[in-house]
Amino acid sequence: DISPLLKDPAAFRTLIDLLEDHLRASFPKIDFIAGLDSRGFLIGPPLAQRLGIGFVLIRKKGKLPGPTESVSYALEYGKAELEIQSDAVEPGQKVVIVDDLLATGGTMCAACELMKRLKAEVLECLVIIELKLLKGSEKLKSIPFYSLLQYD
């Protein structure tokens, strides 16, 4: 639950500071931050603004206008679909995907698949909290992954 971070402006600023410092130290060039629906939308835009880059939306099916790419993925309790606008990124552009939490990894893997379909380069998947017991980061295979906090 990231609600306490969102309620405290100093804590939220510190969160964005930490994520910004990590990305600046890790990647000399990033074209876009891509945020996952919906809590990635809270972290991604201020982070993108700090880095002086754009932000793109990865949303649940049916929420984006215009042509989209979509991918289905399994949840613990069923199936879901994610979409991105077909022109959100250009082939070869460098993207960092952000969300609040990594649990089983299904949603993050689906987001990576969308970026692959658009021929973007995923530099890293970035989350605030990782639930290590669920081993979601293992599903990301060769895609770099970073979590600020880890819980067993």
Side-chain angles (χ1 to χ4, degrees), residues 22 27 97 99-103 105 108 112 122-132 135-138 140-150:
H22 163 73
F27 305 106
I97 302 172
D99 203 4
D100 66 328
L101 176 76
L102 185 78
M108 190 63 81
C112 290
V122 177
L123 296 174
E124 184 173 78
C125 296
L126 174 67
V127 299
I128 301 169
I129 301 164
E130 176 187 7
L131 302 178
K132 291 188 76 71
K135 301 181 181 182
S137 63
E138 292 176 11
L140 297 173
K141 299 179 180 130
S142 64
I143 299 170
F145 173 74
Y146 179 80
S147 57
L148 200 56
L149 300 169
Q150 303 82 33

Side-chain angles (χ1 to χ4, degrees), residues 34-152:
L36 292 174
D37 196 346
S38 67
R39 288 177 294 262
F41 298 173
L42 302 172
I43 305 155
L47 188 55
Q49 186 178 43
R50 292 266 193 100
L51 296 169
I53 60 176
F55 176 78
V56 297
L57 303 165
I58 299 175
R59 299 216 55 192
K60 294 172 182 116
K61 185 165 180 62
K63 303 286 184 179
L64 292 170
T68 61
E69 278 290 325
S70 67
V71 65
S72 295
Y73 63 102
L75 297 168
E76 305 83 80
Y77 47 84
K79 286 194 158 212
E81 280 188 80
L82 284 181
E83 288 184 326
I84 190 168
Q85 288 174 309
S86 300
D87 63 354
V89 296
E90 297 294 321
Q93 287 188 309
K94 298 172 186 318
V95 178
V96 172
I97 302 172
V98 301
D99 203 4
D100 66 328
L101 176 76
L102 185 78
T104 62
T107 306
M108 190 63 81
C109 284
C112 290
E113 175 61 27
L114 286 173
M115 288 298 163
K116 181 179 173 184
R117 289 183 186 181
L118 295 181
K119 297 179 174 48
E121 179 184 348
V122 177
L123 296 174
E124 184 173 78
C125 296
L126 174 67
V127 299
I128 301 169
I129 301 164
E130 176 187 7
L131 302 178
K132 291 188 76 71
L133 185 68
L134 298 176
K135 301 181 181 182
S137 63
E138 292 176 11
K139 287 185 183 170
L140 297 173
K141 299 179 180 130
S142 64
I143 299 170
F145 173 74
Y146 179 80
S147 57
L148 200 56
L149 300 169
Q150 303 82 33
Y151 292 99
D152 291 321

